[in-house]
């Protein structure tokens, strides 16, 4: 069975920058910015935008 053409990754979409960070990326970014020092909670991280 083949993959539908709308589901295949095109060359342009693979080089696109992600606008959503994963949890560990958010924690690293917040630590680097000095917003948080230690993460004890699972929820409640401040919102972040990816660094340019």
């Amino acid at each position: 069975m083949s993959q539908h053409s709308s589901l295949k990754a095109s060359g342009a979409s693979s080089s696109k920058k992600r606008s959503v960070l994963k949890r560990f990326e958010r924690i690293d970014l917040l630590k680097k910015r000095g917003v948080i020092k230690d993460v004890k909670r699972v929820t409640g991280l401040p919102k972040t935008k990816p660094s340019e």
Side-chain angles (χ1 to χ4, degrees):
M1 192 171 213
S2 62
Q3 190 176 27
H4 192 269
S5 62
S6 66
L7 299 174
K8 292 183 181 176
S10 64
S13 67
S14 63
S15 64
K16 196 178 211 183
K17 187 159 181 145
R18 292 183 298 140
S19 63
V20 178
L21 298 175
K22 296 191 179 198
R23 179 176 169 76
F24 71 92
E25 293 172 327
R26 289 176 65 193
I27 291 171
D28 291 342
L29 186 64
L30 290 169
K31 283 182 180 178
K32 187 170 81 174
R33 290 180 182 171
V35 176
I36 60 172
K37 293 184 177 154
D38 192 22
V39 179
K40 296 180 182 174
R41 297 179 290 161
V42 176
T43 60
L45 285 178
K47 291 184 178 181
T48 58
K49 292 189 178 182
S51 59
E52 313 281 329

